[in-house]
Amino acid sequence: MICDHFDAGRCRSCSWLGTPYDAQLVAKQRQVEDLLRGHRVAWDAPVASPQLGFRNKAKMVVHGTVAEPTLGILNPAGAGIDLRDCPLHTAGIRTALPVLAAFVTRAALTPYDVPSRSGELKHLLVTESPDGELMVRFVLRSQEPVARIRKHLPWLQAELPEVVVASVNLQPEHKAVLEGEREIPLSRQETLTMRLTGLALHLRPQSFFQTNTPMAAELYRLGREWVAAVSPRSVWDLYSGVGGFALAIAGTGADVTGIEISREAVASATLSSMEMGSMEMGSMEMGSMEMGPTETGAAGQGAVRFEAGDATAYAVGSTAPPDLVVVNPPRRGIGPELAGWLESSGVGHVLYSSCNAQTLAKDLDAMPSLRAVRGRLLDMFPNTAHYEVLTLLERA
């Protein structure tokens, strides 16, 4: 892959860009196998990602001036480096960013300056759905520019009709935090629909979604396939996010409970589940299988419910375990308390999706009764040292 920003030394975020892609996959597979060597995992071939145009979310630092804003990153001196043509982003995002830069000028949004702690607009967050629709979020220091954004929003939507969700996020603190807690909707539509692998997942502004759409689709497809092979009747999806694993696995006939700390994500997942439950049987396809209602528990389709709460507290406080547990934790892993509960719970299978094989290995060491019988690396983050690993654990 050729990137002028990388070659010129302006951006080194893709730290492995100088390594041939086949060699990247080999190195990642070798690393995860070394970390999990003591668990004798049967590895499937790694899943390769496109190197270009795969990133469905742009997290752009806004700098410069109202007349000449930069959208990208900051250099070590705190000056803006414009990356609106970054080849990692989807085509729709690359088309949108110059228009958004013009909108900054039109709405007189003063870029935030880190050294002087002045200005208003800190970040532009843009997400593109597989359908080509866009969610645009303006991260501001205060509400002062909101009226101007509302005034000029019709211009933006005329120039970019793909923008179906727009909002303001308030992040008043001077620290390295991408966004704040408060979100101000600007558009009538408040969710972006991510359609992949037969699922229609609603994404609210503060909900997390995998940034690599092709790899996310494959992750949910594999999860469903592996769970179907062991035929559980009941499943918990801990760290369920916007419901990707839960809604995919419901197609196997299992009853699924999703637990997620983010109420925004729970609202997204519940809306997706309700919409899928209103569809006719067979109206959606998941690979070679069909998906019908998710809430009604029609033939061949499990019931799904989502609940806001802490994953570990939910498991530890339960009276009876399910047949299978899905865990998809942040980089820190599931931790000793949840690992200890899983070890002693009697759960027959665990599907563990990890973005950090080091914490995965630590968690597996804490669950010796659950052996990893299958694993696959998905290159969720090409051109970097990061990846996603899916493992299926079975009680010995």
Side-chain angles (χ1 to χ4, degrees):
M1 188 181 99
I2 298 174
C3 175
D4 293 338
H5 300 293
F6 182 87
D7 293 340
R10 289 188 293 268
C11 177
R12 290 284 175 164
S13 298
C14 297
S15 56
W16 284 23
L17 194 58
T19 302
Y21 187 62
D22 289 347
Q24 292 184 31
L25 282 182
V26 169
K28 293 181 182 187
Q29 184 67 34
R30 182 182 299 119
Q31 182 189 69
V32 72
E33 287 186 17
D34 287 345
L35 286 168
L36 302 183
R37 188 170 301 280
H39 297 278
R40 299 181 181 179
V41 184
W43 291 102
D44 295 337
V47 182
S49 168
Q51 279 192 281
L52 298 172
F54 67 85
R55 189 174 177 87
N56 59 37
K57 185 172 185 178
K59 303 176 182 179
M60 312 303 282
V61 177
V62 184
H63 201 261
T65 65
V66 170
E68 296 184 3
T70 62
L71 310 182
I73 61 175
L74 299 180
N75 67 15
I81 297 175
D82 197 278
L83 298 176
R84 68 184 78 174
D85 60 345
C86 173
L88 298 185
H89 293 141
T90 60
I93 290 176
R94 293 197 303 274
T95 298
L97 289 175
V99 181
L100 288 167
F103 182 82
V104 170
T105 302
R106 188 179 188 90
L109 303 177
T110 307
Y112 185 71
D113 181 71
V114 174
S116 66
R117 302 191 180 191
S118 63
E120 285 291 341
L121 181 58
K122 293 184 171 183
H123 300 97
L124 275 171
L125 308 179
V126 188
T127 304
E128 183 179 20
S129 75
D131 296 338
E133 295 181 331
L134 296 173
M135 175 190 293
V136 176
R137 301 171 64 205
F138 301 87
V139 181
L140 302 176
R141 187 174 67 161
S142 76
Q143 287 187 247
E144 186 274 327
V146 172
R148 294 198 303 281
I149 293 175
R150 290 188 187 277
K151 175 183 176 181
H152 294 283
L153 191 59
W155 176 88
L156 177 63
Q157 292 173 318
E159 294 293 312
L160 276 177
E162 296 85 359
V163 176
V164 297
V165 181
S167 65
V168 162
N169 178 273
L170 296 181
Q171 207 297 76
E173 298 183 74
H174 180 78
K175 60 181 182 180
V177 175
L178 185 66
E179 59 187 83
E181 295 182 3
R182 186 181 175 193
E183 198 83 17
I184 302 173
L186 300 176
S187 56
R188 179 176 299 178
Q189 184 171 323
E190 294 187 17
T191 66
L192 186 69
T193 305
M194 307 295 286
R195 302 182 198 277
L196 67 167
T197 325
L199 299 173
L201 302 175
H202 283 271
L203 185 64
R204 295 175 71 83
Q206 292 180 295
S207 301
F208 169 80
F209 193 80
Q210 298 283 5
T211 58
N212 188 324
T213 303
M215 292 298 97
E218 185 65 6
L219 183 67
Y220 298 143
R221 187 194 70 78
L222 286 173
R224 181 190 178 283
E225 178 184 295
W226 291 9
V227 170
V230 299
S231 302
R233 292 171 297 175
S234 58
V235 174
W236 291 351
D237 180 7
L238 306 182
Y239 312 94
S240 57
V242 296
F245 275 121
L247 293 171
I249 289 170
T252 69
D255 293 336
V256 185
T257 297
I259 305 298
E260 168 59 45
I261 195 70
S262 167
R263 292 188 177 275
E264 283 283 289
V266 170
S268 297
T270 300
L271 178 58
S272 300
S273 178
M274 290 172 61
E275 285 196 354
M276 292 173 65
S278 68
M279 295 180 179
E280 293 294 327
M281 184 65 178
S283 64
M284 298 189 70
E285 293 187 354
M286 168 68 75
S288 61
M289 299 290 288
E290 294 181 341
M291 294 195 70
T294 59
E295 291 286 320
T296 59
Q301 177 67 34
V304 185
R305 73 180 186 92
F306 295 95
E307 182 178 323
D310 178 78
T312 299
Y314 180 86
V316 172
S318 65
T319 56
D323 298 327
L324 183 145
V325 172
V326 179
V327 290
N328 184 18
R331 290 188 61 80
R332 65 177 180 271
I334 63 175
E337 188 176 7
L338 182 53
W341 181 86
L342 287 168
E343 168 66 15
S344 61
S345 66
V347 168
H349 293 86
V350 175
L351 184 72
Y352 193 139
S353 182
S354 170
C355 61
N356 185 348
Q358 291 182 326
T359 55
L360 170 61
K362 186 176 181 179
D363 289 338
L364 295 187
D365 289 342
M367 300 183 289
S369 297
L370 289 160
R371 58 189 183 91
V373 295
R374 191 171 188 181
R376 195 162 194 183
L377 183 148
L378 297 94
D379 196 17
M380 193 73 71
F381 310 99
N383 312 312
T384 76
H386 303 293
Y387 46 78
E388 191 82 11
V389 181
L390 191 66
T391 54
L392 180 66
L393 316 181
E394 180 178 83
R395 189 164 295 277

